[in-house]
């Protein structure tokens, strides 16, 4: 396989590091040689840092652009995501599927470094075999990892610590909000995978998502960023299928509204679950509205809708 997710992401990370000052990121080197790119913890970060973070997370196989969205007459800042390699960009790379819990340090790991670590059964379904001499991992956290944790990550990825790049941003930051909103297509792909659909049959993805206002703390930001996708995210997927009836039935199960936990701001749902994500219906995590188009028949099937009332309660309530 000629494509290396990590090598592609590394080129983007190098570019971001070279432009660190104008885009408001901070580049440091841990004691073990690992490069750390801070996009919003101590560094100011911003929209460009968030866009770069998201595209690094997709290993350059997806593009992020900013555009306003008008939802039921309400103007909102928003972004769009496009990808022609949805299963690879969104699941093999972008999905936050590796839980780093080591020596008292915790962070969710996403990005192409996961494809080297292969701690998730997901890769068996994607049939993806990654090879690279360097690793890039993205962290949703406010705290930089100590060198010992970076050593652990590098060992799992099979690269020297000095060949590891970590890109980080806290949830309650401009860049953090951007990179989560940019997961709108990824959440649709993940929902499809949870429903046992072969995501390799998705040949193109387009999504839009409102940008949540920066929250005062990371816990509040978790609520707002999830709500942006669950109640404002819209995704169009083009799929290879010769069974329109199956697509029509499938799309009804895809939007967030198909979940029993749908209807309240995510912060309340999380509080009701005693802040235990595993008590929340996993099928909640999906965009508000999804459309599937069959390459074979050219027909489209759609389900779900934007819920502006819940968005307003979450963002400005």
């Amino acid at each position: 396989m000629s494509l290396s997710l990590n090598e592609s992401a590394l080129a983007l990370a190098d570019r971001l590091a070279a432009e660190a000052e104008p885009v408001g990121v901070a580049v440091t080197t841990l004691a073990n040689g690992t490069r750390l790119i801070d996009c919003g913890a101590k560094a100011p970060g911003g929209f460009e840092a968030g866009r770069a973070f998201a595209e690094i997370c997709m290993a350059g196989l997806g593009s992020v652009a900013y555009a306003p969205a008008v939802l039921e007459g309400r103007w909102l800042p928003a972004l769009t995501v496009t990808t022609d390699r949805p299963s690879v960009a969104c699941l093999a790379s972008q999905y936050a599927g590796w839980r780093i819990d080591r020596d008292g340090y915790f962070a969710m790991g996403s990005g192409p470094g996961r494809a080297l670590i292969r701690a998730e059964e997901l890769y068996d379904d994607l049939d993806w075999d990654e090879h690279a001499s360097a690793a890039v991992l993205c962290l949703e956290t406010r705290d930089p990892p100590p060198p010992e944790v970076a050593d652990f990550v590098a060992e799992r990825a099979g690269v020297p610590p000095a060949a590891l790049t970590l890109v980080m941003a806290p949830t309650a930051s401009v860049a953090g909000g951007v990179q989560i909103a940019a997961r709108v297509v990824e959440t649709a792909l993940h929902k499809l995978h949870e429903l046992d659909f072969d995501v390799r049959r998705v040949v193109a993805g387009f999504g839009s998502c409102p940008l949540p206002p920066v929250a005062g703390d990371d816990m509040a930001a978790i609520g707002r960023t999830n709500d942006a996708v669950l109640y404002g995210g819209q995704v169009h997927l083009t799929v290879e299928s010769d069974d329109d009836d199956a697509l029509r039935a499938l799309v009804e199960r895809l939007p967030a509204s198909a979940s029993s936990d749908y209807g309240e701001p995510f912060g309340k749902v999380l509080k009701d679950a005693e802040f235990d994500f595993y008590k929340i219906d996993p099928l909640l995590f999906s965009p508000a509205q999804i459309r599937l188009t069959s390459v074979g028949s050219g027909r489209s099937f759609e389900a779900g809708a934007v819920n502006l009332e819940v968005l307003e309660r979450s963002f400005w309530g």
Side-chain angles (χ1 to χ4, degrees), residues 13-89:
D14 287 346
R15 185 184 309 165
L16 176 60
E19 300 172 348
E21 186 174 354
V23 300
V25 306
V27 183
T28 56
T29 303
L30 301 182
N32 64 347
T34 293
R35 178 172 60 174
L36 181 69
I37 303 178
D38 173 9
C39 293
K42 292 184 178 179
F47 288 117
E48 184 59 22
R51 185 195 62 79
F53 190 119
E55 293 187 352
I56 289 169
C57 210
M58 289 186 282
L61 297 180
S63 297
V64 176
Y66 295 108
V70 179
L71 305 179
E72 299 178 13
R74 184 71 181 263
W75 179 89
L76 298 170
L79 57 73
T80 61
V81 179
T82 56
T83 175
D84 292 325
R85 298 291 299 273
S87 65
V88 180

Side-chain angles (χ1 to χ4, degrees), residues 99 219 222 261 266-282 284-285:
R99 180 186 175 101
M219 185 56 67
I222 288 173
D261 281 332
F266 186 76
K268 183 179 186 304
V269 174
L270 186 58
K271 183 178 180 180
D272 291 344
E274 299 176 323
F275 301 98
D276 184 349
F277 278 86
Y278 294 100
K279 291 183 180 179
I280 299 172
D281 178 10
L284 174 66
F285 299 100

Side-chain angles (χ1 to χ4, degrees), residues 106-137:
F106 174 81
M108 290 304 299
S110 59
R114 294 172 35 253
L116 292 170
I117 295 164
R118 293 187 72 92
E120 307 152 55
E121 295 180 0
L122 170 67
Y123 288 99
D124 296 332
D125 297 331
L126 297 176
D127 191 28
W128 186 264
D129 189 17
E130 174 76 359
H131 298 281
S133 57
V136 180
L137 196 70

